[in-house]
Amino acid sequence: MSSQHTPRTSGEPPQSPSAPGTGDGDGLQAGLKNRHLSMIAIGGVIGAGLFIGSKAGIADAGPGILLSYALAGLLVVLVMRMLGEMAAAQPTSGSFSTYADRALGRWAGFTIGWLYWFFWSVVLAVEATAAAEILEGWAPAVPQWGWALLVMLVLTGTNLISVGSYGEFEFWFAGIKVVAIIAFIVIGVIAFAGLPPADHFAGTENLTGHGGFLPHGPGAILSGMLLVVFSFMGSEIVTLAAAESPNPVDAVRKAVNSVIWRIGLFYIGSIFVIVSLLPWDSKAIASEGPYVAVLNSLDIPYAGTVMDVVVLTAVLSCLNSGLYTASRMAFSLGERKDAPASFGRTNGRGVPTTAILASVAFGFVAVFFNYIAKDTVFEFLLNSSGAVALFVWLVICASQLRMRRRIEREAPEKLTVRMWLYPYLTWATIGLIVFVIGYMFTDEDGRIQMILSLAVAAVVLAASLVKDRIVRQRGEPLPGAPGTGGPSGEDGSGPDGAATGRVPEPAGEADPQPTRH
């Protein structure tokens, strides 16, 4: 652990998962229940991109999009396993940013933390606009910007009340998504078998016809992967949220162990239903969207309205989680003095008010640009955050390579979740991510996203280096981090060996409740 900004005196009871005494309250509170964490873990992998963006992947790769989803899903499973290993050993609201700080250096934690905050702040604008478009279709008397403003205000208020209110909203949002996907798959499997409402056994006619399984050739698998890989962003949210639960270690372990079936069922299962029941080049998929097109082909009444409700729920869920995630990352950055100190303060209910308001303020600015400068400023924001997911996953891999050795040396009993075939599979995952990054340069849209994302990353990295240099020149102590010459011990603990506020240490076997600092 690294030095805590406001040390806890000896004998003082443990408090929040993050640094106590960082504001008017006692830090973040364990306000998320087990059912909240379970549904956040399940729903976090079902983004609005599955409902909206999958049609572009199908058009680009045909039935081969199944392989694109499988490859992207494999990548996410491996990355989540690595992140779960670190998060189960040391739960913290800063998640991978904090681990990067410890394992790679302050520059890494600062850079990836701010890039992640930037990504989710832009997502707020995207999802608010998507929700507004649906709501305007239902109630055109209210202008689209009015609906965008309304949903942003409502969900901001929800997050400001307490972490429990965020968890409750997300529980129901995610629940609707899960039920809808499962119902869609059940209906699809029945239809695939030739039972009513279908009139014949579908077989493989749509999978192998219309140009074959790979109508655009094997290269389309990678092109499709570029379109779908970013829809998996959000799987890592549960590792941030777990720090605000009564038992973060168990929450992380369950989430990591279930990620395989979640991706297999919700993504690959539902996409299989689509490309099996409809030709991949069906005009209905392009005009109505894949899910509505399938339901309409089966004469399911009110399919369009039902899917609009589901998509709206998915959008609001992503907006809700995006605001939560951005604010917790901002809180962690403030706690580590990598952001204004006010970001790392909480109110009496354990809510990081300033971090939430700063995140939503950026979101409001992005929404504003979406209406007045959609093809310039807003497009730049979208493209410059487009490759952040790959950067985050790469940093997680690199951090796990170093953290694993450190945990094995200092506290091997905390390795309750282990990365498979370490370190070989970790290196293989790094190789796959680097390959995807390189492949993006061969794709016109991907090249733009990668260049702009790298440019923004370079600016943030430069800001980190300048900031640390200024701090050193002033003679101020840097929060400790391994390899950065900080004041803490090698393991990030304080002088007395006790865990400090940067990364909370879970309790040992004898204590069922994790110690939170």
Side-chain angles (χ1 to χ4, degrees):
M1 307 306 108
S2 56
S3 296
Q4 185 172 301
H5 302 162
T6 307
R8 178 166 60 91
T9 57
S10 178
E12 187 176 331
Q15 301 175 48
S16 72
S18 298
T22 52
D24 299 330
D26 293 327
L28 299 178
Q29 304 296 319
L32 292 175
K33 301 176 182 177
N34 289 334
R35 64 183 178 88
H36 294 155
L37 265 294
S38 297
M39 200 55 75
I40 289 171
I42 295 173
V45 80
I46 308 175
L50 174 61
F51 300 103
I52 300 172
S54 54
K55 69 178 180 181
I58 294 172
D60 202 60
I65 194 66
L66 287 169
L67 298 181
S68 301
Y69 272 106
L71 191 59
L74 174 63
L75 183 58
V76 172
V77 167
L78 295 174
V79 171
M80 279 297 295
R81 189 75 187 182
M82 286 180 260
L83 180 57
E85 177 182 287
M86 295 183 289
Q90 300 170 336
T92 170
S93 62
S95 189
F96 52 84
S97 174
T98 304
Y99 307 141
D101 194 319
R102 288 197 63 204
L104 306 177
R106 290 190 53 75
W107 64 269
F110 180 102
T111 303
I112 205 63
W114 275 113
L115 286 176
Y116 191 69
W117 177 87
F118 174 60
F119 172 88
W120 281 109
S121 296
V122 173
V123 166
L124 296 182
V126 174
E127 302 301 338
T129 303
E133 290 176 353
I134 296 174
L135 291 169
E136 185 188 31
W138 295 346
V142 179
Q144 191 179 112
W145 66 265
W147 282 119
L149 177 64
L150 179 62
V151 296
M152 288 279 278
L153 290 175
V154 169
L155 293 179
T156 300
T158 299
N159 278 263
L160 285 172
I161 293 172
S162 68
V163 68
S165 61
Y166 154 74
E168 199 64 30
F169 266 69
E170 193 57 26
F171 175 82
W172 292 106
F173 285 155
I176 292 173
K177 291 190 294 185
V178 169
V179 170
I181 289 287
I182 292 176
F184 177 83
I185 293 174
V186 170
I187 293 172
V189 169
I190 292 173
F192 180 81
L195 301 174
D199 54 7
H200 72 286
F201 172 60
T204 62
E205 59 185 85
N206 290 321
L207 293 173
T208 58
H210 305 272
F213 187 73
L214 296 171
H216 301 307
I221 296 174
L222 293 175
S223 298
M225 184 180 176
L226 295 185
L227 294 171
V228 305
V229 68
F230 302 108
S231 64
F232 287 102
M233 191 70 161
S235 304
E236 72 291 334
I237 292 176
V238 69
T239 63
L240 283 82
E244 294 181 76
S245 69
N247 198 332
V249 177
D250 282 350
V252 168
R253 187 186 303 118
K254 291 177 181 177
V256 170
N257 290 337
S258 66
V259 70
I260 296 176
W261 72 259
R262 286 187 278 130
I263 290 175
L265 175 65
F266 297 126
Y267 275 88
I268 299 176
S270 64
I271 297 299
F272 175 81
V273 166
I274 293 168
V275 296
S276 296
L277 296 182
L278 287 179
W280 68 270
D281 54 356
S282 167
K283 293 182 180 179
I285 291 180
S287 61
E288 301 171 359
Y291 291 84
V292 174
V294 168
L295 296 177
N296 281 337
S297 72
L298 300 174
D299 295 324
I300 303 295
Y302 307 108
T305 302
V306 170
M307 287 311 301
D308 274 348
V309 172
V310 173
V311 171
L312 176 63
T313 302
V315 166
L316 293 177
S317 171
C318 190
L319 180 59
N320 190 41
S321 290
L323 180 53
Y324 170 83
T325 306
S327 65
R328 270 28 180 205
M329 185 56 71
F331 171 82
S332 178
L333 289 166
E335 189 184 35
R336 288 177 276 152
K337 298 184 179 179
D338 285 338
S342 59
F343 282 25
R345 299 191 184 111
T346 60
N347 61 20
R349 298 184 304 276
V351 176
T353 305
T354 304
I356 291 175
L357 293 178
S359 301
V360 80
F362 188 93
F364 273 123
V365 171
V367 170
F368 174 74
F369 281 122
N370 187 33
Y371 288 108
I372 70 165
K374 184 179 180 68
D375 297 329
T376 53
V377 178
F378 189 69
E379 185 176 355
F380 168 80
L381 292 175
L382 287 178
N383 286 326
S384 60
S385 62
V388 168
L390 293 174
F391 298 164
V392 168
W393 295 345
L394 195 59
V395 165
I396 289 172
C397 295
S399 299
Q400 189 263 346
L401 276 175
R402 299 194 65 183
M403 287 282 286
R404 172 67 171 267
R405 292 193 294 268
R406 186 169 297 143
I407 296 172
E408 284 180 332
R409 183 176 68 249
E410 298 169 2
E413 72 280 0
K414 293 178 181 177
L415 281 173
T416 57
V417 175
R418 290 175 179 265
M419 176 59 183
W420 307 299
L421 299 177
Y422 170 84
Y424 309 108
L425 207 47
T426 299
W427 280 111
T429 306
I430 291 174
L432 180 56
I433 296 173
V434 172
F435 175 78
V436 173
I437 290 175
Y439 190 80
M440 285 187 72
F441 283 102
T442 68
D443 178 82
E444 184 176 353
D445 293 334
R447 188 184 311 116
I448 295 173
Q449 288 187 8
M450 183 56 66
I451 291 174
L452 291 179
S453 296
L454 284 172
V456 170
V459 170
V460 177
L461 175 59
S464 169
L465 299 177
V466 169
K467 172 187 171 296
D468 280 356
R469 184 171 184 176
I470 292 174
V471 170
R472 289 191 181 95
Q473 288 176 343
R474 291 176 177 175
E476 299 175 11
L478 287 169
T484 61
S488 299
E490 167 63 19
D491 63 348
S493 62
D496 59 354
T500 56
R502 174 74 63 82
V503 182
E505 299 284 358
E509 294 290 336
D511 185 359
Q513 294 297 322
T515 302
R516 288 184 293 277
H517 299 286

